Amino acid sequence: MSYQIIDGKAISEQIKEECRKKVAAYKEKGIEITLAVIQVGADPASSVYVRNKKRACEFCGMTSLSYELPEETTHEELLTLIRKLNADDKVNGILVQLPLPKHIDEDLVIQAIDPKKDVDGFHPQSVGALCIGQPGFVSCTPAGIIELLKRSNIEIAGKECVVIGRSNIVGKPMALLLLRENGTVTVCHSRTKDLKEVTKRADILIVAIGKPKFITGDYVKEGAVVIDVGIHRNEDNKLCGDVDFESVAEKTSAITPVPGGVGPMTIAMLMHNCVGSVELI
Ligand code: NAP
């Protein structure tokens, strides 16, 4: 069967270009958009993400303010900075790069961010708004997956959608977004009985299980759309996803690759959320 490769890189570039134009239009009206990015400690993977976020801001014409705090920063020091940024009218979005060092309570930090500046969409108020269909910021990775599907002309309404994974940042908001798009949604997790039997019902299968190449061809219905959220490095230092692309792709009608699928969409949707923040401030 021939299948479509969903080109996340191209779609993410389209979205960033749209953001760039909107930022320029705001600038003409005298409105600047500023994102504050906070990193605590020097985790190398986090540093790469932070650098990419700053680059994307630059591309879109937004200002990024960078706060690189030492590993031993206290909970209170971090909260003081967040409160200062909450009160600063020039700051539209606040992003705290996760994970945080063990001595800092991530939940309390997320809750300290003003929901109007919560461009990551992790604040309980943002999640609650998504749940009851009210406007608010949506977590970037699942929001990016909806864009991938829509811009690839893949219909969601009425489809059997199966999400593997129920994390707060991917699985749960993903399920809510698919529901909002009128999909019939099932969420699987580590206690799901007979995972294969459930995934084989899926017209659209979203895989966020966090295990390299876990999903093989025998989990997938002929003609399904498969979205691979996973990012891992294998023994050869090459990137791979949660899906075993070689055995799955032939069975699908469309599939995202790793790299170049969901990954680039996360930052593009962060830019989209930053642009959206102007309406909320
Ligand atoms: P996570 O917090 O580790 O969640 C994994 C989920 O998979 C959990 O809900 C877990 O169930 C479920 N699970 C584990 N083993 C299972 C099994 N055998 N059968 C069924 N379900 C199982 O991961 P995450 O943060 O959602 O991330 C998932 C993947 O996406 C990771 O590879 C991560 O690196 C990647 N990711 C990529 C991006 C991006 O920008 N592309 C962004 C975020 C994450 P329980 O809840 O029962 O434990």
Side-chain angles (χ1 to χ4, degrees), residues 43-55:
D43 172 59
S46 291
S47 300
V48 172
Y49 288 128
V50 165
R51 198 161 56 240
N52 289 340
K53 286 168 188 176
K54 285 191 223 157
R55 274 197 201 132

Side-chain angles (χ1 to χ4, degrees), residues 212-213 231-241 246 258-259:
K213 297 191 178 189
I231 311 179
H232 311 275
R233 275 200 190 274
N234 68 14
E235 318 77 58
D236 313 326
N237 207 30
K238 277 177 79 180
L239 288 175
C240 72
E246 284 70 33
V258 178

Side-chain angles (χ1 to χ4, degrees), residues 141 164-167 169-170 188-191 195 208-211 214 229-232 242 262-263 266:
T141 303
I164 315 180
R166 56 173 166 181
S167 69
I169 59 167
V170 186
C188 301
H189 44 77
S190 65
R191 307 286 288 272
L195 182 65
I209 194 170
K211 297 191 160 125
F214 186 93
V229 188
I231 311 179
H232 311 275
D242 289 349
V262 174
T266 301

